[in-house]
PDB file of all heavy atoms in Angstrom:
ATOM      1  N   PHE A   5      97.143 100.570 122.202  1.00  0.00           N
ATOM      2  CA  PHE A   5      97.344 101.976 122.550  1.00  0.00           C
ATOM      3  C   PHE A   5      98.782 102.368 122.235  1.00  0.00           C
ATOM      4  O   PHE A   5      99.717 101.602 122.476  1.00  0.00           O
ATOM      5  CB  PHE A   5      97.072 102.144 124.037  1.00  0.00           C
ATOM      6  CG  PHE A   5      97.506 103.443 124.634  1.00  0.00           C
ATOM      7  CD1 PHE A   5      96.721 104.575 124.535  1.00  0.00           C
ATOM      8  CD2 PHE A   5      98.721 103.535 125.331  1.00  0.00           C
ATOM      9  CE1 PHE A   5      97.123 105.777 125.112  1.00  0.00           C
ATOM     10  CE2 PHE A   5      99.121 104.729 125.899  1.00  0.00           C
ATOM     11  CZ  PHE A   5      98.325 105.849 125.786  1.00  0.00           C
ATOM     12  N   GLU A   6      98.953 103.571 121.676  1.00  0.00           N
ATOM     13  CA  GLU A   6     100.288 104.120 121.392  1.00  0.00           C
ATOM     14  C   GLU A   6     100.422 105.445 122.141  1.00  0.00           C
ATOM     15  O   GLU A   6      99.660 106.375 121.878  1.00  0.00           O
ATOM     16  CB  GLU A   6     100.476 104.326 119.899  1.00  0.00           C
ATOM     17  CG  GLU A   6     100.405 103.026 119.092  1.00  0.00           C
ATOM     18  CD  GLU A   6     100.220 103.275 117.605  1.00  0.00           C
ATOM     19  OE1 GLU A   6      99.376 104.130 117.241  1.00  0.00           O
ATOM     20  OE2 GLU A   6     100.903 102.623 116.805  1.00  0.00           O
ATOM     21  N   GLN A   7     101.379 105.543 123.022  1.00  0.00           N
ATOM     22  CA  GLN A   7     101.429 106.676 123.942  1.00  0.00           C
ATOM     23  C   GLN A   7     101.751 108.008 123.259  1.00  0.00           C
ATOM     24  O   GLN A   7     101.488 109.074 123.835  1.00  0.00           O
ATOM     25  CB  GLN A   7     102.435 106.409 125.057  1.00  0.00           C
ATOM     26  CG  GLN A   7     103.878 106.313 124.587  1.00  0.00           C
ATOM     27  CD  GLN A   7     104.826 105.985 125.737  1.00  0.00           C
ATOM     28  OE1 GLN A   7     104.410 105.471 126.772  1.00  0.00           O
ATOM     29  NE2 GLN A   7     106.109 106.272 125.553  1.00  0.00           N
ATOM     30  N   TRP A   8     102.288 107.963 122.046  1.00  0.00           N
ATOM     31  CA  TRP A   8     102.699 109.196 121.380  1.00  0.00           C
ATOM     32  C   TRP A   8     101.622 109.791 120.463  1.00  0.00           C
ATOM     33  O   TRP A   8     101.823 110.852 119.887  1.00  0.00           O
ATOM     34  CB  TRP A   8     103.964 108.929 120.550  1.00  0.00           C
ATOM     35  CG  TRP A   8     103.762 107.915 119.456  1.00  0.00           C
ATOM     36  CD1 TRP A   8     103.344 108.151 118.174  1.00  0.00           C
ATOM     37  CD2 TRP A   8     103.942 106.500 119.569  1.00  0.00           C
ATOM     38  NE1 TRP A   8     103.257 106.968 117.478  1.00  0.00           N
ATOM     39  CE2 TRP A   8     103.630 105.941 118.308  1.00  0.00           C
ATOM     40  CE3 TRP A   8     104.358 105.655 120.607  1.00  0.00           C
ATOM     41  CZ2 TRP A   8     103.703 104.562 118.064  1.00  0.00           C
ATOM     42  CZ3 TRP A   8     104.429 104.296 120.352  1.00  0.00           C
ATOM     43  CH2 TRP A   8     104.112 103.759 119.104  1.00  0.00           C
ATOM     44  N   ARG A   9     100.500 109.128 120.340  1.00  0.00           N
ATOM     45  CA  ARG A   9      99.471 109.621 119.420  1.00  0.00           C
ATOM     46  C   ARG A   9      98.770 110.858 120.001  1.00  0.00           C
ATOM     47  O   ARG A   9      98.621 110.999 121.229  1.00  0.00           O
ATOM     48  CB  ARG A   9      98.448 108.537 119.141  1.00  0.00           C
ATOM     49  CG  ARG A   9      99.014 107.338 118.409  1.00  0.00           C
ATOM     50  CD  ARG A   9      99.646 107.716 117.081  1.00  0.00           C
ATOM     51  NE  ARG A   9      99.957 106.521 116.264  1.00  0.00           N
ATOM     52  CZ  ARG A   9     100.538 106.570 115.078  1.00  0.00           C
ATOM     53  NH1 ARG A   9     100.880 107.734 114.547  1.00  0.00           N
ATOM     54  NH2 ARG A   9     100.776 105.451 114.413  1.00  0.00           N
ATOM     55  N   PRO A  10      98.286 111.752 119.145  1.00  0.00           N
ATOM     56  CA  PRO A  10      97.643 112.976 119.648  1.00  0.00           C
ATOM     57  C   PRO A  10      96.357 112.725 120.433  1.00  0.00           C
ATOM     58  O   PRO A  10      95.947 113.586 121.207  1.00  0.00           O
ATOM     59  CB  PRO A  10      97.374 113.780 118.369  1.00  0.00           C
ATOM     60  CG  PRO A  10      97.415 112.795 117.256  1.00  0.00           C
ATOM     61  CD  PRO A  10      98.398 111.748 117.674  1.00  0.00           C
ATOM     62  N   ASP A  11      95.732 111.573 120.227  1.00  0.00           N
ATOM     63  CA  ASP A  11      94.500 111.271 120.959  1.00  0.00           C
ATOM     64  C   ASP A  11      94.734 110.296 122.104  1.00  0.00           C
ATOM     65  O   ASP A  11      93.790 109.693 122.629  1.00  0.00           O
ATOM     66  CB  ASP A  11      93.437 110.714 120.011  1.00  0.00           C
ATOM     67  CG  ASP A  11      93.842 109.391 119.365  1.00  0.00           C
ATOM     68  OD1 ASP A  11      95.005 108.976 119.518  1.00  0.00           O
ATOM     69  OD2 ASP A  11      92.986 108.772 118.699  1.00  0.00           O
ATOM     70  N   ALA A  12      95.991 110.138 122.544  1.00  0.00           N
ATOM     71  CA  ALA A  12      96.307 109.173 123.606  1.00  0.00           C
ATOM     72  C   ALA A  12      95.509 109.454 124.866  1.00  0.00           C
ATOM     73  O   ALA A  12      95.120 108.526 125.593  1.00  0.00           O
ATOM     74  CB  ALA A  12      97.802 109.185 123.894  1.00  0.00           C
ATOM     75  N   GLY A  13      95.239 110.725 125.152  1.00  0.00           N
ATOM     76  CA  GLY A  13      94.491 111.078 126.350  1.00  0.00           C
ATOM     77  C   GLY A  13      93.034 110.684 126.301  1.00  0.00           C
ATOM     78  O   GLY A  13      92.332 110.757 127.337  1.00  0.00           O
ATOM     79  N   ASP A  14      92.537 110.259 125.146  1.00  0.00           N
ATOM     80  CA  ASP A  14      91.135 109.848 125.023  1.00  0.00           C
ATOM     81  C   ASP A  14      90.898 108.414 125.475  1.00  0.00           C
ATOM     82  O   ASP A  14      89.743 107.982 125.581  1.00  0.00           O
ATOM     83  CB  ASP A  14      90.660 110.003 123.578  1.00  0.00           C
ATOM     84  CG  ASP A  14      90.669 111.443 123.102  1.00  0.00           C
ATOM     85  OD1 ASP A  14      90.631 112.332 123.975  1.00  0.00           O
ATOM     86  OD2 ASP A  14      90.713 111.675 121.885  1.00  0.00           O
ATOM     87  N   PHE A  15      91.968 107.660 125.699  1.00  0.00           N
ATOM     88  CA  PHE A  15      91.831 106.268 126.118  1.00  0.00           C
ATOM     89  C   PHE A  15      91.768 106.182 127.639  1.00  0.00           C
ATOM     90  O   PHE A  15      92.718 106.572 128.318  1.00  0.00           O
ATOM     91  CB  PHE A  15      93.024 105.439 125.619  1.00  0.00           C
ATOM     92  CG  PHE A  15      93.037 105.218 124.135  1.00  0.00           C
ATOM     93  CD1 PHE A  15      93.607 106.152 123.280  1.00  0.00           C
ATOM     94  CD2 PHE A  15      92.489 104.058 123.589  1.00  0.00           C
ATOM     95  CE1 PHE A  15      93.627 105.944 121.906  1.00  0.00           C
ATOM     96  CE2 PHE A  15      92.509 103.843 122.222  1.00  0.00           C
ATOM     97  CZ  PHE A  15      93.066 104.784 121.375  1.00  0.00           C
ATOM     98  N   PRO A  16      90.664 105.668 128.192  1.00  0.00           N
ATOM     99  CA  PRO A  16      90.599 105.519 129.655  1.00  0.00           C
ATOM    100  C   PRO A  16      91.666 104.553 130.156  1.00  0.00           C
ATOM    101  O   PRO A  16      92.007 103.569 129.490  1.00  0.00           O
ATOM    102  CB  PRO A  16      89.193 104.933 129.871  1.00  0.00           C
ATOM    103  CG  PRO A  16      88.422 105.291 128.639  1.00  0.00           C
ATOM    104  CD  PRO A  16      89.425 105.278 127.530  1.00  0.00           C
ATOM    105  N   GLN A  17      92.204 104.830 131.328  1.00  0.00           N
ATOM    106  CA  GLN A  17      93.260 104.009 131.888  1.00  0.00           C
ATOM    107  C   GLN A  17      92.834 102.554 132.036  1.00  0.00           C
ATOM    108  O   GLN A  17      93.646 101.635 131.873  1.00  0.00           O
ATOM    109  CB  GLN A  17      93.682 104.576 133.253  1.00  0.00           C
ATOM    110  CG  GLN A  17      94.917 103.939 133.850  1.00  0.00           C
ATOM    111  CD  GLN A  17      96.191 104.271 133.084  1.00  0.00           C
ATOM    112  OE1 GLN A  17      96.282 105.312 132.443  1.00  0.00           O
ATOM    113  NE2 GLN A  17      97.183 103.397 133.155  1.00  0.00           N
ATOM    114  N   GLU A  18      91.569 102.325 132.288  1.00  0.00           N
ATOM    115  CA  GLU A  18      91.109 100.959 132.553  1.00  0.00           C
ATOM    116  C   GLU A  18      91.139 100.046 131.331  1.00  0.00           C
ATOM    117  O   GLU A  18      91.036  98.824 131.467  1.00  0.00           O
ATOM    118  CB  GLU A  18      89.681 100.979 133.128  1.00  0.00           C
ATOM    119  CG  GLU A  18      88.641 101.542 132.176  1.00  0.00           C
ATOM    120  CD  GLU A  18      87.401 102.008 132.918  1.00  0.00           C
ATOM    121  OE1 GLU A  18      86.482 101.187 133.099  1.00  0.00           O
ATOM    122  OE2 GLU A  18      87.363 103.193 133.303  1.00  0.00           O
ATOM    123  N   VAL A  19      91.296 100.597 130.117  1.00  0.00           N
ATOM    124  CA  VAL A  19      91.349  99.741 128.927  1.00  0.00           C
ATOM    125  C   VAL A  19      92.778  99.445 128.509  1.00  0.00           C
ATOM    126  O   VAL A  19      92.994  98.721 127.533  1.00  0.00           O
ATOM    127  CB  VAL A  19      90.579 100.363 127.738  1.00  0.00           C
ATOM    128  CG1 VAL A  19      89.132 100.600 128.111  1.00  0.00           C
ATOM    129  CG2 VAL A  19      91.250 101.624 127.210  1.00  0.00           C
ATOM    130  N   LEU A  20      93.766  99.953 129.242  1.00  0.00           N
ATOM    131  CA  LEU A  20      95.158  99.770 128.853  1.00  0.00           C
ATOM    132  C   LEU A  20      95.724  98.514 129.507  1.00  0.00           C
ATOM    133  O   LEU A  20      95.706  98.368 130.731  1.00  0.00           O
ATOM    134  CB  LEU A  20      95.999 100.988 129.258  1.00  0.00           C
ATOM    135  CG  LEU A  20      95.522 102.342 128.724  1.00  0.00           C
ATOM    136  CD1 LEU A  20      96.518 103.432 129.107  1.00  0.00           C
ATOM    137  CD2 LEU A  20      95.299 102.300 127.226  1.00  0.00           C
ATOM    138  N   GLY A  21      96.224  97.606 128.674  1.00  0.00           N
ATOM    139  CA  GLY A  21      96.722  96.329 129.149  1.00  0.00           C
ATOM    140  C   GLY A  21      98.233  96.237 129.137  1.00  0.00           C
ATOM    141  O   GLY A  21      98.947  97.225 129.313  1.00  0.00           O
ATOM    142  N   ARG A  22      98.725  95.040 128.892  1.00  0.00           N
ATOM    143  CA  ARG A  22     100.154  94.770 128.923  1.00  0.00           C
ATOM    144  C   ARG A  22     100.865  95.367 127.702  1.00  0.00           C
ATOM    145  O   ARG A  22     100.274  95.523 126.644  1.00  0.00           O
ATOM    146  CB  ARG A  22     100.391  93.261 129.004  1.00  0.00           C
ATOM    147  CG  ARG A  22      99.983  92.679 130.338  1.00  0.00           C
ATOM    148  CD  ARG A  22     100.142  91.194 130.405  1.00  0.00           C
ATOM    149  NE  ARG A  22      99.805  90.695 131.742  1.00  0.00           N
ATOM    150  CZ  ARG A  22      99.406  89.467 132.005  1.00  0.00           C
ATOM    151  NH1 ARG A  22      99.303  88.575 131.020  1.00  0.00           N
ATOM    152  NH2 ARG A  22      99.106  89.101 133.243  1.00  0.00           N
ATOM    153  N   PRO A  23     102.153  95.653 127.852  1.00  0.00           N
ATOM    154  CA  PRO A  23     102.932  96.196 126.720  1.00  0.00           C
ATOM    155  C   PRO A  23     103.075  95.151 125.612  1.00  0.00           C
ATOM    156  O   PRO A  23     103.123  93.949 125.864  1.00  0.00           O
ATOM    157  CB  PRO A  23     104.282  96.527 127.340  1.00  0.00           C
ATOM    158  CG  PRO A  23     104.049  96.596 128.803  1.00  0.00           C
ATOM    159  CD  PRO A  23     102.949  95.626 129.091  1.00  0.00           C
ATOM    160  N   LEU A  24     103.174  95.640 124.381  1.00  0.00           N
ATOM    161  CA  LEU A  24     103.509  94.772 123.265  1.00  0.00           C
ATOM    162  C   LEU A  24     105.012  94.507 123.315  1.00  0.00           C
ATOM    163  O   LEU A  24     105.804  95.448 123.454  1.00  0.00           O
ATOM    164  CB  LEU A  24     103.138  95.418 121.933  1.00  0.00           C
ATOM    165  CG  LEU A  24     101.689  95.210 121.470  1.00  0.00           C
ATOM    166  CD1 LEU A  24     100.705  95.966 122.359  1.00  0.00           C
ATOM    167  CD2 LEU A  24     101.516  95.648 120.019  1.00  0.00           C
ATOM    168  N   PRO A  25     105.440  93.254 123.193  1.00  0.00           N
ATOM    169  CA  PRO A  25     106.844  92.912 123.439  1.00  0.00           C
ATOM    170  C   PRO A  25     107.846  93.672 122.583  1.00  0.00           C
ATOM    171  O   PRO A  25     108.884  94.092 123.068  1.00  0.00           O
ATOM    172  CB  PRO A  25     106.888  91.413 123.145  1.00  0.00           C
ATOM    173  CG  PRO A  25     105.489  90.936 123.363  1.00  0.00           C
ATOM    174  CD  PRO A  25     104.610  92.072 122.952  1.00  0.00           C
ATOM    175  N   ARG A  26     107.566  93.847 121.299  1.00  0.00           N
ATOM    176  CA  ARG A  26     108.569  94.419 120.400  1.00  0.00           C
ATOM    177  C   ARG A  26     108.406  95.914 120.177  1.00  0.00           C
ATOM    178  O   ARG A  26     109.223  96.519 119.480  1.00  0.00           O
ATOM    179  CB  ARG A  26     108.505  93.718 119.036  1.00  0.00           C
ATOM    180  CG  ARG A  26     108.890  92.265 119.060  1.00  0.00           C
ATOM    181  CD  ARG A  26     108.933  91.670 117.669  1.00  0.00           C
ATOM    182  NE  ARG A  26     109.810  92.435 116.783  1.00  0.00           N
ATOM    183  CZ  ARG A  26     110.161  92.033 115.568  1.00  0.00           C
ATOM    184  NH1 ARG A  26     109.718  90.877 115.110  1.00  0.00           N
ATOM    185  NH2 ARG A  26     110.960  92.757 114.828  1.00  0.00           N
ATOM    186  N   TRP A  27     107.374  96.519 120.755  1.00  0.00           N
ATOM    187  CA  TRP A  27     107.039  97.882 120.367  1.00  0.00           C
ATOM    188  C   TRP A  27     106.916  98.772 121.593  1.00  0.00           C
ATOM    189  O   TRP A  27     105.856  98.850 122.217  1.00  0.00           O
ATOM    190  CB  TRP A  27     105.746  97.893 119.556  1.00  0.00           C
ATOM    191  CG  TRP A  27     105.789  96.919 118.407  1.00  0.00           C
ATOM    192  CD1 TRP A  27     105.167  95.713 118.330  1.00  0.00           C
ATOM    193  CD2 TRP A  27     106.525  97.069 117.192  1.00  0.00           C
ATOM    194  NE1 TRP A  27     105.456  95.094 117.140  1.00  0.00           N
ATOM    195  CE2 TRP A  27     106.294  95.897 116.407  1.00  0.00           C
ATOM    196  CE3 TRP A  27     107.354  98.062 116.673  1.00  0.00           C
ATOM    197  CZ2 TRP A  27     106.863  95.698 115.164  1.00  0.00           C
ATOM    198  CZ3 TRP A  27     107.928  97.874 115.414  1.00  0.00           C
ATOM    199  CH2 TRP A  27     107.674  96.719 114.684  1.00  0.00           C
ATOM    200  N   PRO A  28     107.993  99.482 121.973  1.00  0.00           N
ATOM    201  CA  PRO A  28     107.964 100.350 123.149  1.00  0.00           C
ATOM    202  C   PRO A  28     106.876 101.416 123.030  1.00  0.00           C
ATOM    203  O   PRO A  28     106.665 101.985 121.957  1.00  0.00           O
ATOM    204  CB  PRO A  28     109.360 100.993 123.135  1.00  0.00           C
ATOM    205  CG  PRO A  28     110.211 100.054 122.342  1.00  0.00           C
ATOM    206  CD  PRO A  28     109.305  99.460 121.311  1.00  0.00           C
ATOM    207  N   GLY A  29     106.193 101.655 124.121  1.00  0.00           N
ATOM    208  CA  GLY A  29     105.155 102.684 124.137  1.00  0.00           C
ATOM    209  C   GLY A  29     103.796 102.213 123.688  1.00  0.00           C
ATOM    210  O   GLY A  29     102.852 103.009 123.629  1.00  0.00           O
ATOM    211  N   GLU A  30     103.667 100.904 123.373  1.00  0.00           N
ATOM    212  CA  GLU A  30     102.375 100.347 122.966  1.00  0.00           C
ATOM    213  C   GLU A  30     101.865  99.385 124.023  1.00  0.00           C
ATOM    214  O   GLU A  30     102.629  98.628 124.619  1.00  0.00           O
ATOM    215  CB  GLU A  30     102.481  99.619 121.619  1.00  0.00           C
ATOM    216  CG  GLU A  30     102.835 100.525 120.462  1.00  0.00           C
ATOM    217  CD  GLU A  30     102.713  99.819 119.112  1.00  0.00           C
ATOM    218  OE1 GLU A  30     101.786  99.001 118.958  1.00  0.00           O
ATOM    219  OE2 GLU A  30     103.557 100.089 118.234  1.00  0.00           O
ATOM    220  N   ARG A  31     100.548  99.407 124.239  1.00  0.00           N
ATOM    221  CA  ARG A  31      99.911  98.505 125.187  1.00  0.00           C
ATOM    222  C   ARG A  31      98.624  97.954 124.572  1.00  0.00           C
ATOM    223  O   ARG A  31      97.911  98.686 123.857  1.00  0.00           O
ATOM    224  CB  ARG A  31      99.593  99.244 126.495  1.00  0.00           C
ATOM    225  CG  ARG A  31     100.827  99.720 127.229  1.00  0.00           C
ATOM    226  CD  ARG A  31     100.484 100.654 128.375  1.00  0.00           C
ATOM    227  NE  ARG A  31      99.744  99.968 129.434  1.00  0.00           N
ATOM    228  CZ  ARG A  31      99.339 100.573 130.553  1.00  0.00           C
ATOM    229  NH1 ARG A  31      99.629 101.860 130.757  1.00  0.00           N
ATOM    230  NH2 ARG A  31      98.663  99.903 131.465  1.00  0.00           N
ATOM    231  N   TRP A  32      98.351  96.707 124.842  1.00  0.00           N
ATOM    232  CA  TRP A  32      97.120  96.099 124.335  1.00  0.00           C
ATOM    233  C   TRP A  32      95.905  96.787 124.942  1.00  0.00           C
ATOM    234  O   TRP A  32      95.951  97.280 126.088  1.00  0.00           O
ATOM    235  CB  TRP A  32      97.084  94.607 124.678  1.00  0.00           C
ATOM    236  CG  TRP A  32      98.053  93.793 123.879  1.00  0.00           C
ATOM    237  CD1 TRP A  32      99.212  93.214 124.325  1.00  0.00           C
ATOM    238  CD2 TRP A  32      97.953  93.460 122.491  1.00  0.00           C
ATOM    239  NE1 TRP A  32      99.839  92.553 123.303  1.00  0.00           N
ATOM    240  CE2 TRP A  32      99.094  92.688 122.168  1.00  0.00           C
ATOM    241  CE3 TRP A  32      97.024  93.734 121.497  1.00  0.00           C
ATOM    242  CZ2 TRP A  32      99.316  92.191 120.890  1.00  0.00           C
ATOM    243  CZ3 TRP A  32      97.237  93.247 120.216  1.00  0.00           C
ATOM    244  CH2 TRP A  32      98.378  92.484 119.927  1.00  0.00           C
ATOM    245  N   LEU A  33      94.831  96.794 124.182  1.00  0.00           N
ATOM    246  CA  LEU A  33      93.577  97.377 124.651  1.00  0.00           C
ATOM    247  C   LEU A  33      92.599  96.288 125.078  1.00  0.00           C
ATOM    248  O   LEU A  33      92.593  95.187 124.507  1.00  0.00           O
ATOM    249  CB  LEU A  33      92.939  98.212 123.534  1.00  0.00           C
ATOM    250  CG  LEU A  33      93.662  99.493 123.146  1.00  0.00           C
ATOM    251  CD1 LEU A  33      93.035 100.089 121.893  1.00  0.00           C
ATOM    252  CD2 LEU A  33      93.633 100.503 124.285  1.00  0.00           C
ATOM    253  N   ASP A  34      91.748  96.610 126.025  1.00  0.00           N
ATOM    254  CA  ASP A  34      90.672  95.709 126.424  1.00  0.00           C
ATOM    255  C   ASP A  34      89.524  95.889 125.447  1.00  0.00           C
ATOM    256  O   ASP A  34      88.615  96.704 125.656  1.00  0.00           O
ATOM    257  CB  ASP A  34      90.222  96.013 127.851  1.00  0.00           C
ATOM    258  CG  ASP A  34      89.204  95.010 128.361  1.00  0.00           C
ATOM    259  OD1 ASP A  34      88.798  94.115 127.571  1.00  0.00           O
ATOM    260  OD2 ASP A  34      88.791  95.121 129.536  1.00  0.00           O
ATOM    261  N   ILE A  35      89.583  95.139 124.359  1.00  0.00           N
ATOM    262  CA  ILE A  35      88.601  95.322 123.292  1.00  0.00           C
ATOM    263  C   ILE A  35      87.205  94.856 123.679  1.00  0.00           C
ATOM    264  O   ILE A  35      86.252  95.069 122.922  1.00  0.00           O
ATOM    265  CB  ILE A  35      89.050  94.606 122.000  1.00  0.00           C
ATOM    266  CG1 ILE A  35      89.170  93.106 122.249  1.00  0.00           C
ATOM    267  CG2 ILE A  35      90.363  95.214 121.486  1.00  0.00           C
ATOM    268  CD1 ILE A  35      89.283  92.301 120.967  1.00  0.00           C
ATOM    269  N   ARG A  36      87.051  94.267 124.836  1.00  0.00           N
ATOM    270  CA  ARG A  36      85.711  93.931 125.322  1.00  0.00           C
ATOM    271  C   ARG A  36      84.910  95.194 125.621  1.00  0.00           C
ATOM    272  O   ARG A  36      83.675  95.176 125.562  1.00  0.00           O
ATOM    273  CB  ARG A  36      85.801  93.073 126.590  1.00  0.00           C
ATOM    274  CG  ARG A  36      86.539  91.753 126.425  1.00  0.00           C
ATOM    275  CD  ARG A  36      86.751  91.084 127.780  1.00  0.00           C
ATOM    276  NE  ARG A  36      87.504  91.951 128.688  1.00  0.00           N
ATOM    277  CZ  ARG A  36      87.600  91.783 129.999  1.00  0.00           C
ATOM    278  NH1 ARG A  36      86.987  90.764 130.572  1.00  0.00           N
ATOM    279  NH2 ARG A  36      88.321  92.619 130.729  1.00  0.00           N
ATOM    280  N   ARG A  37      85.613  96.295 125.929  1.00  0.00           N
ATOM    281  CA  ARG A  37      84.948  97.520 126.337  1.00  0.00           C
ATOM    282  C   ARG A  37      84.584  98.376 125.125  1.00  0.00           C
ATOM    283  O   ARG A  37      85.137  99.451 124.890  1.00  0.00           O
ATOM    284  CB  ARG A  37      85.835  98.301 127.315  1.00  0.00           C
ATOM    285  CG  ARG A  37      86.128  97.571 128.605  1.00  0.00           C
ATOM    286  CD  ARG A  37      84.850  97.231 129.377  1.00  0.00           C
ATOM    287  NE  ARG A  37      83.979  98.391 129.579  1.00  0.00           N
ATOM    288  CZ  ARG A  37      84.061  99.204 130.620  1.00  0.00           C
ATOM    289  NH1 ARG A  37      84.971  98.988 131.555  1.00  0.00           N
ATOM    290  NH2 ARG A  37      83.229 100.230 130.731  1.00  0.00           N
ATOM    291  N   LEU A  38      83.633  97.880 124.352  1.00  0.00           N
ATOM    292  CA  LEU A  38      83.196  98.629 123.182  1.00  0.00           C
ATOM    293  C   LEU A  38      82.608  99.974 123.589  1.00  0.00           C
ATOM    294  O   LEU A  38      82.701 100.953 122.827  1.00  0.00           O
ATOM    295  CB  LEU A  38      82.151  97.820 122.415  1.00  0.00           C
ATOM    296  CG  LEU A  38      82.585  96.447 121.889  1.00  0.00           C
ATOM    297  CD1 LEU A  38      81.487  95.845 121.033  1.00  0.00           C
ATOM    298  CD2 LEU A  38      83.883  96.535 121.103  1.00  0.00           C
ATOM    299  N   ASP A  39      81.988 100.033 124.754  1.00  0.00           N
ATOM    300  CA  ASP A  39      81.386 101.283 125.210  1.00  0.00           C
ATOM    301  C   ASP A  39      82.422 102.396 125.353  1.00  0.00           C
ATOM    302  O   ASP A  39      82.130 103.571 125.094  1.00  0.00           O
ATOM    303  CB  ASP A  39      80.650 101.069 126.530  1.00  0.00           C
ATOM    304  CG  ASP A  39      81.556 100.516 127.630  1.00  0.00           C
ATOM    305  OD1 ASP A  39      82.463  99.725 127.315  1.00  0.00           O
ATOM    306  OD2 ASP A  39      81.339 100.873 128.812  1.00  0.00           O
ATOM    307  N   LEU A  40      83.635 102.024 125.745  1.00  0.00           N
ATOM    308  CA  LEU A  40      84.690 103.011 125.929  1.00  0.00           C
ATOM    309  C   LEU A  40      85.531 103.233 124.674  1.00  0.00           C
ATOM    310  O   LEU A  40      86.035 104.330 124.452  1.00  0.00           O
ATOM    311  CB  LEU A  40      85.610 102.581 127.079  1.00  0.00           C
ATOM    312  CG  LEU A  40      84.939 102.465 128.457  1.00  0.00           C
ATOM    313  CD1 LEU A  40      85.948 101.993 129.497  1.00  0.00           C
ATOM    314  CD2 LEU A  40      84.321 103.790 128.884  1.00  0.00           C
ATOM    315  N   LEU A  41      85.680 102.190 123.861  1.00  0.00           N
ATOM    316  CA  LEU A  41      86.562 102.288 122.694  1.00  0.00           C
ATOM    317  C   LEU A  41      85.849 102.764 121.420  1.00  0.00           C
ATOM    318  O   LEU A  41      86.483 103.363 120.559  1.00  0.00           O
ATOM    319  CB  LEU A  41      87.229 100.937 122.429  1.00  0.00           C
ATOM    320  CG  LEU A  41      88.247 100.512 123.483  1.00  0.00           C
ATOM    321  CD1 LEU A  41      88.784  99.120 123.179  1.00  0.00           C
ATOM    322  CD2 LEU A  41      89.405 101.511 123.545  1.00  0.00           C
TER     323      LEU A  41
END
């Protein structure tokens, strides 16, 4: 997930994981949730 993207609001909070170490504003996605992603 990238917080600055125009579709950032389309990502449910429950699929947002830990931040990526080198990239501020990015968080891993729970790719198990195909129904939501």
Side-chain angles (χ1 to χ4, degrees):
F5 167 83
E6 297 165 315
Q7 66 183 20
W8 62 89
R9 295 302 191 181
D11 63 351
D14 296 338
F15 289 86
Q17 189 69 27
E18 63 201 270
V19 302
L20 304 185
R22 290 177 177 156
L24 275 69
R26 294 185 55 171
W27 308 105
E30 295 189 37
R31 296 170 66 179
W32 289 108
L33 291 171
D34 186 356
I35 61 166
R36 300 171 302 165
R37 297 301 308 271
L38 301 186
D39 57 326
L40 298 178
L41 291 176

